[in-house]
């Protein structure tokens, strides 16, 4: 590839050869800003507040398999609910299958155990602990003329407990807002 370079006088220099492409003259447009780091929220132009979109965080190949809607207080309140990590994981498995308010999730202990890498017996122990803490209630289910099916799990106890601890988090959120506002005005 033959490229002629220009001399300082602006005339072409036929003797100069280069394999690199020549640079275009700089335009008078605004400078190009480097992209934000991965995971950083996009900064909106002007006073507009950019609402992050799910597709900006999760690729379509992940989201097409489905997703679960969970309240943040469930994560924040794990310690207040006195949940050990495996108990919390079992609870998340149940909540992730609770799509309609009046229809209890009904995962089998074997399914939960397989997902967690635990035995069905260990899952059963965690379910018993969650039931003793008042977070879930097992509901026996039966197939017509075929015997017992996997249990269903009522989650009203969890909802009630989250409502009870919500004021603590509302106070903390309010205090944080005031601290932020105070810091912004100094």
């Amino acid at each position: 590839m033959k490229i002629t370079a220009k001399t300082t006088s602006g005339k072409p220099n036929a003797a100069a050869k280069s394999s690199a492409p020549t640079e275009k003259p700089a335009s008078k447009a605004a400078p190009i800003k480097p992209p934000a780091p991965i995971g950083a929220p996009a900064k909106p132009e002007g006073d507009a507040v950019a609402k992050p979109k799910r597709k900006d965080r999760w690729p379509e190949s992940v989201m097409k398999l489905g997703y679960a809607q969970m309240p943040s207080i469930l994560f924040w309140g794990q310690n207040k609910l006195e949940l050990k990590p495996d108990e919390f994981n079992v609870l998340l498995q149940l909540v992730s299958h609770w799509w309609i308010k009046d229809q209890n999730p009904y995962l089998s202990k074997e399914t939960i155990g397989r997902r967690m890498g635990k035995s069905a017996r260990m899952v059963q122990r965690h379910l018993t602990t969650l039931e003793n803490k008042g977070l879930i209630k097992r509901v026996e289910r039966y197939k017509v003329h075929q015997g017992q099916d996997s249990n269903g799990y009522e989650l009203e106890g969890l909802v009630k407990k989250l409502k009870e601890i919500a004021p603590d988090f509302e106070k903390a959120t309010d205090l944080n807002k005031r601290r932020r506002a105070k810091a912004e005005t100094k």
Side-chain angles (χ1 to χ4, degrees):
M1 174 182 204
K2 182 177 178 182
I3 298 176
T4 58
K6 293 185 178 182
T7 61
T8 54
S9 65
K11 296 180 182 177
N13 181 356
K17 293 182 182 179
S18 171
S19 61
T22 58
E23 292 185 24
K24 293 182 179 180
S27 65
K28 294 182 181 180
I32 298 173
K33 296 177 185 174
I38 295 174
K43 293 186 179 181
E45 295 293 327
D47 293 334
V49 177
K51 186 174 181 180
K53 296 182 178 166
R54 175 182 47 81
K55 66 181 180 181
D56 294 339
R57 295 174 297 212
W58 301 105
E60 186 60 32
S61 61
V62 171
M63 293 308 294
K64 74 179 181 184
L65 299 173
Y67 57 94
Q69 183 177 3
M70 305 214 190
S72 296
I73 193 171
L74 178 58
F75 296 93
W76 302 337
Q78 180 179 354
N79 189 41
K80 281 190 169 285
L81 296 172
E82 299 177 358
L83 292 171
K84 295 178 182 170
D86 281 348
E87 296 166 358
F88 185 66
N89 196 341
V90 169
L91 194 58
L92 289 178
Q93 293 291 330
L94 295 175
V95 172
S96 73
H97 285 268
W98 190 31
W99 302 305
I100 301 172
K101 182 182 180 194
D102 297 327
Q103 293 180 4
N104 299 326
Y106 51 88
L107 279 87
S108 70
K109 295 181 288 281
E110 292 77 17
T111 298
I112 296 170
R114 185 177 62 249
R115 291 176 179 178
M116 293 177 55
K118 304 287 181 184
S119 68
R121 178 68 184 118
M122 184 58 73
V123 170
Q124 185 174 353
R125 288 184 189 114
H126 294 313
L127 289 167
T128 299
T129 303
L130 292 171
E131 196 166 22
N132 291 340
K133 291 179 178 183
L135 299 174
I136 66 170
K137 181 180 176 186
R138 286 184 242 211
V139 179
E140 291 182 348
R141 296 180 23 198
Y142 294 91
K143 295 179 183 179
V144 179
H145 306 294
Q146 294 181 11
Q148 188 170 357
D149 199 357
S150 61
N151 289 326
Y153 301 92
E154 289 181 0
L155 301 173
E156 282 76 24
L158 172 64
V159 172
K160 182 182 175 190
K161 297 264 185 180
L162 291 177
K163 280 183 183 179
E164 290 172 7
I165 67 172
D168 296 337
F169 290 97
E170 288 171 2
K171 288 177 195 171
T173 301
D174 187 45
L175 285 172
N176 287 338
K177 284 180 184 176
R178 284 192 237 155
R179 285 183 191 131
R180 262 195 315 270
K182 188 175 181 181
E184 291 170 353
T185 58
K186 284 187 176 183

